[in-house]
Amino acid sequence: MTVDKQINQANAQVMDILLKGQPVWVDVKPAIEAIPGMTKNTVFHPGPPYESADEIPTPIRNSICGALMHEKLAASMEEAWQLVRAGKVNLCSSQNYGVANAASMVTSASMPVIVAEDKVFGGRGYAPIHPGGNPKCLRWGLYDEEVESDLTWFDQVYGPALGKAVRAAGGIDLKSILAKTAGMGDENHNRQPAASMALALALIPWLVEADIHEKEKVIRHFAANDRFFLHPMMAGVESLTVNCKKIPLSTVMVGMGANGVRFGIQIAATGNEWHTDKAPMIDGVFLKPTTTKEDVLGYLGDSCVTEVYGLGGMSAIAGPAYLRMTGAGYDEALARTEKARAVSLGEHTFAPVPWNDFKGFPVGVDARKVVGKNIRPVSHGGSALKTGGQAGAGACDIPMEPFKKALIALYEQITGEKA
């Protein structure tokens, strides 16, 4: 059998997981109880690994140090940073462990994480809980006594309450949420009010019945968060990609993320190996008119792993209102989805878009097609300030270089020769 046929067979196996997998939100547990490989001094960060502590940008540095203080491993931010510089903290790239951290968020041992399970192929994925509407949060690289109070409440009250409710519900099928909200304007990376409301309808009855502390506050916090669904979906995608990464020779993209310095992708054939380039800038709108491009960090976060599953920029036509918010419109939304369709190997059929002739959204970006057709898919994303905090939101073209590097790595893997 030719190598080309072997790659096609491998890609078909990956597509089987992406199309037929059934990601379900099943639990909320402390990270150290849920995530294999988590230890007391481990901190998971978004995007590819850092080459040294010196290149960690301020928002991630703040989040890491805040997490270490939260774990009582340091008494001050400076002491925490010295632990990092001394190599006493196990800093890990989240997606290499089936974890997804949006924006500047990190995950440490005591933090509650959403647990998703693929009920068909058995994979598990994880993500921290979305913090809600307060812009001062670890998710955007900010830490002080107020943030610490919120983190503690999540550990002691909010996380256990959500876990109790979702277990009582028997889990929440994430594909059913996407199917119910098809045609309601979500692209489900940067915009998901419909999906979050559908999720609330499914879970709030169980929160009402559950024996939980501060029930009214828990329900109010959960119901008021129209971004909540993003994080179960990130965990759900991770539950699929952990098994995709076990399939040799596949050129399908199964990981995507950025650390503020470098943007990277992973393909199934090379598993947890990152193929990277300089992190691009998110082009869109800023939250404050005084913000300039010079204030903004390069692409940051793991939330774009949802685009591996065909959401966000890949399904931009499903959420043209998001594009309107960031300065584009319907035609650009359609163009982004058609770009993704041109380089993808399949299409989801469970959530058709009414104003796109009831087509599903594309899934399974093939690195060979990206490079061969010279088509760069578009990713949606939020932007971070270099000093911490959210700058704005928008989109960027995914860099071409990581796809080229991925194919070179596969060539070297197959031939045993240096390209």
Side-chain angles (χ1 to χ4, degrees), residues 25 27-30 33 110-113 129 151-168 203 206-207 210-213 218:
W25 176 18
D27 209 345
V28 175
K29 288 184 176 180
E33 296 178 18
S110 67
M111 294 179 184
V113 293
I129 301 166
L151 290 172
T152 300
W153 186 72
F154 270 49
D155 287 0
Q156 297 178 357
V157 180
Y158 195 44
L162 292 173
K164 185 172 287 188
V166 80
R167 290 192 300 271
L203 197 63
W206 300 98
L207 285 169
D211 179 17
I212 57 177
H213 298 297
V218 166

Side-chain angles (χ1 to χ4, degrees), residues 60-233:
I60 297 294
R61 172 176 168 168
N62 290 345
S63 293
I64 291 169
C65 292
L68 294 174
M69 288 185 66
H70 179 63
E71 300 296 339
K72 305 296 188 289
L73 296 175
S76 68
M77 296 290 274
E78 182 57 34
E79 182 183 342
W81 184 238
Q82 292 309 314
L83 289 176
V84 174
R85 291 188 63 83
K88 296 181 179 180
V89 180
N90 186 27
L91 294 181
C92 298
S93 172
S94 302
Q95 291 185 50
N96 289 1
Y97 292 81
V99 184
N101 278 304
S104 308
M105 187 61 184
V106 301
T107 301
S108 60
S110 67
M111 294 179 184
V113 293
I114 291 162
V115 181
E117 182 178 338
D118 173 8
K119 293 297 185 178
V120 176
F121 298 95
R124 285 205 159 198
Y126 315 91
I129 301 166
H130 193 285
N134 188 351
K136 186 193 287 187
C137 58
L138 210 64
R139 190 179 191 270
W140 286 110
L142 301 172
Y143 182 81
D144 61 11
E145 290 182 1
E146 181 184 342
V147 175
E148 175 57 36
S149 177
D150 289 342
L151 290 172
T152 300
W153 186 72
F154 270 49
D155 287 0
Q156 297 178 357
V157 180
Y158 195 44
L162 292 173
K164 185 172 287 188
V166 80
R167 290 192 300 271
I172 306 291
D173 186 322
L174 300 178
K175 285 174 77 169
S176 73
I177 299 293
L178 292 172
K180 287 176 182 177
T181 56
M184 296 178 71
D186 288 353
E187 43 77 86
N188 280 301
H189 177 181
N190 276 34
R191 176 185 169 88
Q192 54 280 111
S196 294
M197 285 187 284
L199 184 64
L201 288 173
L203 197 63
I204 285 177
W206 300 98
L207 285 169
V208 170
E209 292 185 4
D211 179 17
I212 57 177
H213 298 297
E214 300 182 49
K215 182 179 294 187
E216 183 177 325
K217 182 179 178 181
V218 166
I219 294 175
R220 186 187 309 115
H221 195 283
F222 174 62
N225 185 358
D226 70 356
R227 300 295 313 282
F228 189 97
F229 181 76
L230 173 62
H231 287 221
M233 195 67 241

